[in-house]
Each structure stands twice: as structure tokens, then as C-alpha cells.
Amino acid sequence: MAILSLTVNGKKHQVDVDPKTPVLWVLREHLNLTGTKYGCGIAQCGACTINLGDTAVRSCQLPVSSIADKAITTIEGLSEKGDHPLQQAWIEQDVAQCGYCQAGQIMSAAALLKTKPHPTDDDIDAAMSGNICRCGTYLRVKAAIKTAAKG
Amino acid sequence: MKQPKASASRRSFLKVSALAGGGMLLSFNFWAQAKPLPGQPLTDAKDWVELNGYIKIYPDNSIKIINPNPEFGQNVMTTLPMIVAEELDVDWQKVIVEMGPHDNVKLGPQFTGGSNSTRMYWKPLRDAGAAARNILVQAAAQTWNVPLEEVSTKQGMLYHEKSGRSGMYGDFALKASAIPLPKNPKLKDGRNFTIVRSAQKNVEGMKIVTGKPLFGLDYAHEGMLVAMIEHPPAFGKKLQSFDASEALKMPGIRDIFSLPLYPENYEQSGFDTRTFNDLLVVVGNTTWEVMNARKKLKVIWQPIESSNEIIAGFRGKTNVTIPAGLENTDEQLAKMAAFANQPAQLLRKDGDPETAFKNAAQIIEHTYTAPFLAHNCMEPVNCFAYVTDEKALLVAPHQAPGWIEPSLSKILNLSPDKIEIQIVRMGGGFGLKAYGHFLTEAAIISKKVNAPVKLVYSREDDMTYGIYRPMYTATYRAALDKDKNLLAFHVKGGGIPEHAVHQNRFPAGAVDNYLAEGWAIPTNITIGAFRAPGSNFNAAAEQSFLDELAEAMGKDPIDFRLELLQRAKEKPVGRNNEYDADRYMEVLKLVKEKAGWNDPANKKYSRGVAAYFCHSSYAAHVIDIVEKNGKPYIERVTSAVDCGIVVNPDAATNMVQGAVVDGIGNALYGGITHKDGVPGQNNFNRYRLIRMREAPERIDVHFVHNDIDPTGLGEPPFPPVFAAVANALYKKTGKRFYNQPFYKDIPNA
Ligand code: FES
Ligand code: FES
């Protein structure tokens, strides 16, 4: 165990955990930020996606010690009032079915739009194919990304 | 909670009561045991607290509507309250929706599955809304001293046009609560619907996109521990002994023990399920710590002996054989092929199929297979429980808590009113979360450690636990005369451990000589309902076969189906045909038109069609394949669905699109294999799920417009997708696809 400090959604936190603990579990079980989801634990489904700077990363495979001096953003910190263009677009396209994968989808999309504000279909496919949606909402996820990119 | 008595009348009735603070509560009862007491007002605030009904109106005119049914992505949180709001005649934008408590007495069956939610709640919820509106109108008429007929409502307001008076529902709520409810409130004419049939957004959309804790796995409780279960690595094995000394030394670990899921001689209900009865449990402070400690367990597993289990299901008691042994996929396939040649159970026979086949000029015969499928809900199985000697609290992402409560009551030795089950949003269900083992597991673990506990399945636990979609096969045969007329049709289906044949469905009823047979092979791999049980294979096989048959007969596949259906309509063969030929034809005609089936502009596509009826609804798809990056790609899908009145069209479209994507994914990639009882797939690196780049560019969904009360939607569009994929792949590759998953037979897929 070790005391580690980390910056999540602009706020500093201190946690006393095994440094190897994946960020996913630190968020969910130490900081009560449960928007980031567990789906596979092996970086295959994208449910746990967060942003490390401008990059989408799978928090289930990211030891907490590796982000000690870096800032991360989770779905809870994407916007203050749920009004990030992607969140708005998600609502406009009424994307969710069960909704479980959607935080991860949005965080992957947020990183994509930072590097490519006007992504092509292929860009979207490439950035989003690490995110599984078991309910099959891919068409709406894609439509929402395009809506956000336009707006 | 209170259980409906077995002798209860199924008749529903409504109750109204005053709400503390001056409002009214309308509650509604499916299984009222006593004679219905419509309109008996309950003025005691305590009564209302216990009632938990559907509608609450406050003096400031805010309206709260309770969603009774578990939400797993089918959008009932939005759809069901819309039905109430329609009849109540309120402004949908002002409605607050709340998930109801688990209470089968006041809130009905509370069961998500079988595409039942909207079907079973449609009429009761309309009644609930209409009855509330009725007494509000009465209250206004009395207050204004005007005839009832002169009072109208609109969007939560009451009007008396002649005198120019108006008021909010909230103004009259308290008075209304003392008025007896009408027995058969007048329902709106469907032509006047303003909320039903309008596209309304998911009421939980904002919570979802902002990551609010909505799901079972997000639940937290003061002092909560985390438990995980180490189950045997193979079907056909069980716990012999374990050494936890290393694991116990791991940080954050509280306890490691084994205990039986169900006590000896326990009579299982149909949804109890036990893949593995000996639970080896690791309890600790956090999920990560428990996951790590599990790796240090030293466990010896031993083979199971064969056994028999009596399961008391909906259709009475059945005796299930569980053989010993470690199964292999190759052997399972070989066994199925051998069984297919043996006599089977007769399911239906019309005419004289034997003679027809004997006299046939040509017999077309093909065999289809499909693997076990894992549900792979994005949210793995989990359940919170806090059980003491006096009471139990469970927070369960479950499709039908009422089915499991009796089991909990027996096992925990607590009366049902001491058991509270909170219903939470599920991250997918697909049938898996109708089974109850994980509720019982969480409960007995909590009881044992005497603490609030969240039971968590890792993805690996979830995928290798069983309760799979069964492994299926079916052989279809058709007899043709020398002019290529269809003389007879024969389906013989089997599976491990059940077959999928629906003997009274199309093309039964359309062919003079028809034979349906079924057989089954027992297994120790557990199975369960999976989105459109049985249908999901039946449609895949039958609709592929019809495609091949149409080709052999030189007919267009849609026209061929329409001809058969016309026959079934005009001169149906046999009895008990389940489907309505007109509605079936309608979706085929609609998909034909909307897909531009005969439009030369669509020649660039390799096209496949399929249609199916299940859960009282009809669905047809045309799948269009192109070549992309050197492999077949499903670019476009056109779907036609008849599910009666579509309550929330955009959400319904989403559901159909999802079913199409799910169907394509499972048809192409799905499957659990076994080697020596060990599942060959335990996570998404080995179990391939469809991803965005494989999903179609477009899925155009068209609903048949009619005034039929809503029928099912979550499942019906799913089964025909498999065959439409197979039929389109045939056009693309020139090869028929008989064995799922199809990707194995597609070069570079
Ligand atoms: S949980 Fe991290 S990618 Fe699946
Ligand atoms: S919405 Fe259910 S997994 Fe994506």
C-alpha cells in the first residue's frame, strides 16, 4: 500500500492503495466515481475509458501509480452540467439502450474530437472500435459523434 | 414484500388515496385477492405510504409516474409512464418518472422478458391513467357545480369552457382522492393520442451521459464488502478441497470459505439455476483485492457424479438429468449428428408427409447448427445483499425479482415481507438476468459474513458460468414433385439440452403434408433463455432453408413466402397455427417495397431476406452486402416490423437497430466452445462481439401502422437477422452458410 495523489476532473485526491491497482477500481471504489465502468478488465471493451490528457485510455489496464503526476478526466468531469457537445448530441440522438457502455463511448469520442474535430467515418470507426456496445447502438453513437462535430 | 396469494383473482383494480401534503395517489393492483374495491378512498396517509402506486399529483401540479417494470435497455422507464401520461392527459415534459419498488401486489408482475413489458402493462396502465383523469374531472365538476360532460382536460389542466373556468390537476387532486374510481374508465380513442406514438427521449438519458450511479454494480452501502466466487474451471467438475492460507494473507481479504448455494434436497424453481452448487467465496474490502487474492487460492476440483434434479417450473415439475463427464465441442457435434438419425418425438403432423416424401421427384435436405451462446451483458452479473436474522435487503439488477423472492424466503428462512428487493437498471439482460442464483448467492454470503456485501462476477466468471443459449441443430427437408411444386415439409430439430422447434409456426399451416419432430441430449452445461429463446435458432435455420428451397423451385424468395402465406390464409392446414398470415405478409410486402427489392439500382448489393413471427410480432429484414477491404460487409439493412401500436417510435427504432446489430454479431461471431468441459472463451479477447466497424452503415426501420394493442418488440426483430445474413452471404460468396458462427467460413473475416 502507498499513499498516492492523483488529479481527477481537476480535483486532487489522495488514496491509500496498492500502486498496481488499476485506475478503474480506484475511481469506482476509492473515489466513488462509478461512471467509469468495468466490462472486461483486459482492455477489450472500452467500458472503462477515461481521458489521460487528450488521449483515451482504458483505465482497467492502467496502474494508478502511472498517473500520479498526470491529470485524468472521467465522464463525471467531462462537463459541469452535462452540456459537453457530445453529451448533448448523445441525448439528441437518444443513443442509449441499457446505457452501460455509453460513458466509455463518450470518453473515447471526446478524445477523438480533441485530435480530430471533424472526423471521417473511417476515423470514427478506428477510434470507436475498441468500445463494445452489447445493445448494438453503434449507428447512433456514430451519428451523435457527427452531430457533436458539426455543432 | 407482500406476495399475491395463489388464489388471487387476476383482475386488476385501482385504488386512490390522499397524499400527505394534499395530493392524491392512484395505485393499481393486478392480483387483488379480495373482491375489487374500485374507488374505495383511503384517506390515511399511512396507507398511501404503503401503497406505492403509479401516479402522484402534488398541489403545484407536478406529476410523478412510477415505472413498474425492470429496465434493461428496452426503455420501459420512458415507454410505460408515457402510456399512463397519455390517458391522464398531462404534459409529458412535466412528468417525473421514478422506478417503482419491488411490489408484485401493487405494481403487477414486474417482469422484463419475453418481450412482455409493454404488452402486459398496456391496458392496466391506460386504465390507471384514465381512472385518475376521470376523478379529477369529477372533482372539478363538483367544485364548479357544472355537468361532468362540460369539463375537459388538456395537459394537466381542467377547463369549463362555458364559464371560462380552469384549474390545474393539482388544485383538485385532494378532492379527487375522495371520489370513488370508475370501474371501467373510458379510454382515449387512439386517433387522439398525443404522447403515445410520439418520439420521446429516454428519461434517464442525462443520467447516463453524465455517469450517474444507475446500475447494480454502482451501488454502494456503508460498510460494504466485496465477494467473488471461484467456480470450477470446467462443467462437470465440482469443489473437492481448497487451501486458502496464501490467499488469506493478501491485503484487504476478510474471509474465505465454502458453502452450498442451495441446501440438500432443496426443490429448485424454474429460475433458481445452479451451475455450481459449492461456492468457494473470497470476501474482501475491494474488488481488486479480491481478484488478486483469488489467484493465490489452491483448489482441487473433482468430477461430478451424474444426478437428477427436480425443477418446479411454470409448467409443473420436470426431472432434469445431469450427466457426469467433461464435454467437448467436437463430440457434441458428432452426438447431435447421430441423434438426428434416430427416431424423435412427434410434435406435429398434417396430411401424409411420409407418402409425399416417398413419391417426391426431388427432395431438398439441409442441416443447420448453432453453438452455445453467452449473453455477455456489458454489466457482469452482480448483486448487493445485506441479510441479518431479521431481514434482508437486496439491490439486484434482475429481470424478475418476484420469481426469486420465494426462493430467498425459503433459504433465508425469512417471510417475504422481511425481504426488500430494490430494482436497479441493468447493463443488459438478454435473458441471463432472469435467473436467480446470484441473488441467492449474495444473500447467503452476506448472512454468513454478517455484513453488507456486493457479489461481483468478473467478466471471466460471467462468461464461463453457463446458462448459455443451448446448442442447436435442425434438419429441414422439402419434397417437390416433378413440376417443382412443394408437396411436403419436414423439420427435425434437436439440441443440447433442448430443441428449438416451434411446430405451430410458419410454414406449418401452409403445406398440406407437414411433419415436425424434436429430440434432446442431456448435458451438464447449464442453459437459459437468450433473446427470443428457440426462435433465435429456429428462424435462422428455417428462413435459410426457405431461401434455398425458393431457389430450387425457381422462385423469388419473397414471392415464395408470400405464396405460402396466402395459402395459409385462404386454406390453412391443420390447427393451432400461431401466426396471423396477413400480418406476416404485410411485413414482407413492406420490406420488399422499402428495400427496393426489385429496383435495378440495388443490383450492386448481394441481398438476403428473412422474416419471422414470435412474441406476437412480425419482423422482416433485407440485408445488403458489399465488398469492403476484400471481405463481405453488411452495409445496409432494411427492416419492417409489425408490433402493433408503437408507443415510442424513435426508441422502438433504436431497439430494432440494436436487434439487427446483435443478430449480425451473433450470427457472424458468437459461440462458446468446450474442451474437456472448459469453455474456450472467457473474455472479449476470445469471444468476438460485433464492433462499430462491422456494424452496418444504415439500418432503416419501418413499422406497420395499425391499431392493434402493442405486441412484443425486444425479441421479434432478432431471430430473422441470422438467416438474412446467411442468405445475403450466399449471394455474395456463392456458398450456403449452415453452421454458426459464419465467420469461420468467410475468407479473411
Ligand atoms: S473494462 Fe477496461 S476495456 Fe473493458
Ligand atoms: S447501451 Fe447497452 S451496452 Fe451499449
Side-chain angles (χ1 to χ4, degrees):
Chain A
M1 304 295 262
I3 308 253
L4 296 166
S5 50
L6 50 159
T7 309
V8 183
N9 302 330
K11 269 219 294 252
K12 281 216 182 311
H13 297 270
Q14 290 214 321
V15 287
D16 185 8
V17 291
D18 172 357
K20 289 202 289 291
T21 310
V23 170
L24 168 68
W25 296 111
V26 175
L27 291 170
R28 291 186 57 84
E29 296 187 348
H30 296 267
L31 303 178
N32 294 326
L33 292 169
T34 53
T36 307
K37 298 294 189 243
Y38 166 69
C40 69
I42 58 165
Q44 288 289 319
C45 77
C48 65
T49 306
I50 58 167
N51 288 179
L52 178 58
D54 286 352
T55 320
V57 290
R58 313 293 180 219
S59 65
C60 67
Q61 287 281 298
L62 188 69
V64 63
S65 56
S66 71
I67 58 151
D69 47 355
K70 300 180 186 122
I72 61 168
T73 309
T74 71
I75 188 72
E76 292 92 343
L78 189 60
S79 67
E80 227 157 76
K81 298 190 188 121
D83 53 0
H84 184 282
L86 281 166
Q87 289 167 318
Q88 286 175 328
W90 241 252
I91 288 186
E92 191 184 321
Q93 297 288 343
D94 214 11
V95 175
Q97 285 187 32
C98 82
Y100 193 81
C101 73
Q102 300 298 347
Q105 305 276 4
I106 292 172
M107 295 313 289
S108 287
L112 167 67
L113 292 189
K114 275 186 202 150
T115 46
K116 292 197 173 119
H118 300 286
T120 63
D121 275 36
D122 284 345
D123 292 335
I124 298 175
D125 281 352
M128 300 304 294
S129 282
N131 288 79
I132 294 172
C133 175
R134 179 65 184 83
C135 300
T137 65
Y138 297 122
L139 280 75
R140 284 170 188 247
V141 168
K142 195 183 260 185
I145 294 172
K146 290 183 183 173
T147 303
K150 256 189 237 142
Chain B
M1 59 137 242
K2 281 189 234 148
Q3 282 291 322
K5 298 243 167 51
S7 64
S9 144
R10 277 211 153 215
R11 215 176 136 182
S12 64
F13 78 95
L14 295 149
K15 263 186 178 179
V16 69
S17 64
L19 202 89
M24 81 169 184
L25 169 93
L26 185 78
S27 75
F28 135 92
N29 198 333
F30 266 96
W31 285 313
Q33 198 243 348
K35 284 255 175 297
L37 302 169
Q40 192 167 79
L42 299 170
T43 43
D44 186 341
K46 266 186 268 148
D47 280 341
W48 112 250
V49 170
E50 284 176 16
L51 270 175
N52 294 311
Y54 288 84
I55 301 166
K56 296 176 191 176
I57 301 174
Y58 291 93
D60 74 351
N61 223 26
S62 17
I63 314 269
K64 203 179 256 192
I65 300 179
I66 300 296
N67 164 46
N69 227 33
E71 172 68 82
F72 70 173
Q74 84 283 43
N75 209 17
V76 283
M77 275 295 279
T78 309
T79 305
L80 296 185
M82 280 171 70
I83 299 169
V84 180
E86 177 69 68
E87 292 291 348
L88 184 60
D89 203 10
V90 289
D91 179 357
W92 175 249
Q93 303 312 325
K94 301 218 172 95
V95 169
I96 302 162
V97 173
E98 218 172 55
M99 181 67 224
H102 177 230
D103 189 332
N104 293 157
V105 175
K106 288 181 198 137
L107 295 178
Q110 301 193 288
F111 149 52
T112 281
S115 298
N116 257 316
S117 301
T118 307
R119 260 197 290 178
M120 82 189 163
Y121 278 103
W122 168 250
K123 176 74 164 64
L125 293 183
R126 289 186 75 186
D127 284 345
R133 180 184 163 277
N134 177 289
I135 53 173
L136 286 160
V137 168
Q138 288 192 52
Q142 283 172 19
T143 308
W144 294 335
N145 200 14
V146 297
L148 207 60
E149 314 76 63
E150 291 182 5
V151 177
S152 62
T153 61
K154 197 178 179 186
Q155 301 219 318
M157 295 290 290
L158 290 143
Y159 298 96
H160 183 247
E161 226 171 275
K162 276 191 197 159
S163 63
R165 272 178 291 195
S166 67
M168 303 187 299
Y169 280 7
D171 299 336
F172 297 93
L174 186 60
K175 181 157 191 165
S177 70
I179 296 173
L181 279 157
K183 265 189 196 150
N184 294 304
K186 195 166 171 293
L187 301 179
K188 269 194 188 173
D189 182 331
R191 278 169 300 191
N192 300 329
F193 285 158
T194 56
I195 299 172
V196 166
R197 287 193 154 132
S198 72
Q200 300 299 340
K201 308 247 184 263
N202 189 332
V203 295
E204 298 208 290
M206 184 51 101
K207 288 184 191 160
I208 289 167
V209 303
T210 52
K212 293 285 177 300
L214 286 171
F215 300 92
L217 204 59
D218 302 340
Y219 187 80
H221 190 285
E222 181 80 41
M224 182 177 84
L225 301 176
V226 172
M228 296 183 90
I229 296 166
E230 185 77 16
H231 71 63
F235 297 98
K237 286 197 176 170
K238 63 177 183 179
L239 183 65
Q240 182 176 325
S241 62
F242 67 95
D243 170 2
S245 49
E246 293 284 307
L248 273 166
K249 283 187 221 145
M250 295 291 285
I253 298 308
R254 298 291 192 97
D255 204 353
I256 297 176
F257 51 86
S258 75
L259 81 177
L261 170 59
Y262 300 123
E264 220 165 300
N265 299 324
Y266 173 78
E267 187 178 274
Q268 278 178 261
S269 84
F271 284 85
D272 273 342
T273 54
R274 66 168 137 196
T275 302
F276 306 109
N277 202 58
D278 298 315
L279 311 180
L280 172 50
V281 185
V282 182
V283 181
N285 295 335
T286 65
T287 308
W288 178 246
E289 287 168 321
V290 174
M291 282 177 168
N292 277 328
R294 284 176 65 186
K295 294 183 197 142
K296 304 281 179 188
L297 285 170
K298 293 194 188 94
V299 194
I300 299 172
W301 309 100
Q302 61 181 330
I304 61 165
E305 302 89 45
S306 65
S307 63
N308 275 301
E309 269 178 15
I310 312 280
I311 296 181
F314 287 147
R315 293 189 198 98
K317 289 186 188 180
T318 45
N319 196 331
V320 181
T321 307
I322 300 165
L326 304 176
E327 299 189 19
N328 289 290
T329 301
D330 293 352
E331 291 161 17
Q332 289 162 335
L333 284 166
K335 232 186 200 178
M336 290 207 302
F339 260 71
N341 291 319
Q342 288 170 22
Q345 186 196 354
L346 176 67
L347 301 170
R348 171 167 169 158
K349 183 158 141 177
D350 298 319
D352 185 357
E354 291 85 356
T355 307
F357 274 100
K358 217 181 286 157
N359 299 337
Q362 186 185 357
I363 292 176
I364 299 168
E365 173 176 333
H366 295 290
T367 296
Y368 301 79
T369 67
F372 290 107
L373 292 176
H375 297 79
N376 293 327
C377 308
M378 278 314 285
E379 177 190 29
V381 159
N382 67 86
C383 183
F384 170 84
Y386 190 10
V387 178
T388 63
D389 288 341
E390 289 80 46
K391 59 179 182 184
L393 166 68
L394 281 93
V395 180
H398 195 265
Q399 294 175 221
W403 293 351
I404 310 306
E405 198 182 59
S407 315
L408 291 171
S409 173
K410 270 188 260 172
I411 290 161
L412 300 175
N413 205 7
L414 287 172
S415 61
D417 59 318
K418 298 283 189 292
I419 300 173
E420 179 189 349
I421 306 179
Q422 288 179 18
I423 300 172
V424 277
R425 193 179 186 90
M426 285 164 272
F430 304 99
L432 176 67
K433 290 173 185 167
Y435 296 92
H437 56 95
F438 59 100
L439 274 65
T440 308
E441 287 168 351
I444 60 174
I445 293 168
S446 168
K447 189 170 178 176
K448 161 97 177 147
V449 299
N450 201 10
V453 167
K454 183 158 66 186
L455 171 69
V456 177
Y457 277 39
S458 68
R459 173 57 58 194
E460 289 82 359
D461 297 335
D462 187 285
M463 203 181 285
T464 59
Y465 185 86
I467 317 192
Y468 301 133
R469 195 284 302 268
M471 193 168 178
Y472 287 129
T473 185
T475 301
Y476 284 81
R477 294 164 70 221
L480 303 182
D481 68 12
K482 62 175 186 350
D483 300 320
K484 305 229 179 268
N485 294 307
L486 179 60
L487 298 174
F489 192 93
H490 177 202
V491 52
K492 187 173 180 184
I496 304 175
E498 62 181 37
H499 67 77
V501 179
H502 291 290
Q503 64 271 21
N504 295 324
R505 292 204 188 144
F506 184 74
V511 190
D512 287 318
N513 303 298
Y514 174 88
L515 178 64
E517 302 173 281
W519 51 266
I521 301 170
T523 179
N524 53 39
I525 298 165
T526 51
I527 57 113
F530 184 107
R531 195 174 204 168
S535 305
N536 56 39
F537 174 70
N538 218 13
E542 164 208 300
Q543 291 286 315
S544 292
F545 183 69
L546 289 182
D547 203 71
E548 197 157 354
L549 186 53
E551 188 180 43
M553 295 167 75
K555 294 188 175 182
D556 172 84
I558 296 182
D559 293 345
F560 172 53
R561 286 171 173 84
L562 290 172
E563 271 172 34
L564 286 174
L565 286 159
Q566 191 62 33
R567 163 70 208 274
K569 179 190 169 178
E570 285 165 4
K571 235 174 95 207
V573 182
R575 267 173 297 170
N576 302 326
N577 298 323
E578 283 177 18
Y579 58 95
D580 177 329
D582 273 322
R583 291 179 75 185
Y584 210 137
M585 283 192 277
E586 196 68 32
V587 291
L588 276 161
K589 286 180 191 158
L590 185 61
V591 87
K592 183 178 178 179
E593 177 208 325
K594 297 292 183 185
W597 183 249
N598 291 325
D599 185 344
N602 290 320
K603 281 237 156 31
K604 59 180 175 183
Y605 294 118
S606 306
R607 326 191 79 187
V609 67
Y612 202 65
F613 154 83
C614 65
H615 301 90
S616 312
S617 291
Y618 302 78
H621 306 290
V622 167
I623 278 184
D624 291 339
I625 292 185
V626 294
E627 189 154 313
K628 191 171 154 187
N629 305 327
K631 39 185 173 182
Y633 167 64
I634 298 169
E635 184 177 274
R636 192 174 78 168
V637 182
T638 311
S639 306
V641 178
D642 176 356
C643 60
I645 293 168
V646 183
V647 178
N648 190 356
D650 188 50
T653 298
N654 194 351
M655 176 109 293
V656 177
Q657 290 170 330
V660 168
V661 172
D662 188 8
I664 295 171
N666 274 299
L668 291 179
Y669 314 122
I672 287 271
T673 56
H674 293 92
K675 188 155 181 4
D676 298 327
V678 180
Q681 297 72 26
N682 66 359
N683 206 324
F684 299 135
N685 52 346
R686 297 212 198 121
Y687 199 114
R688 187 164 168 191
L689 292 189
I690 188 167
R691 290 171 186 272
M692 184 184 277
R693 70 167 87 84
E694 294 129 2
E697 250 168 46
R698 275 175 62 185
I699 302 172
D700 299 328
V701 181
H702 305 275
F703 291 100
V704 173
H705 191 91
N706 58 33
D707 293 318
I708 298 167
D709 285 354
T711 51
L713 186 62
E715 289 160 300
F718 180 64
V721 177
F722 293 70
V725 171
N727 298 340
L729 278 172
Y730 165 65
K731 291 287 183 189
K732 180 75 203 150
T733 63
K735 243 177 47 179
R736 288 282 174 186
F737 286 74
Y738 300 109
N739 303 303
Q740 297 171 34
F742 300 144
Y743 84 95
K744 290 184 296 183
D745 300 319
I746 305 172
N748 0 288

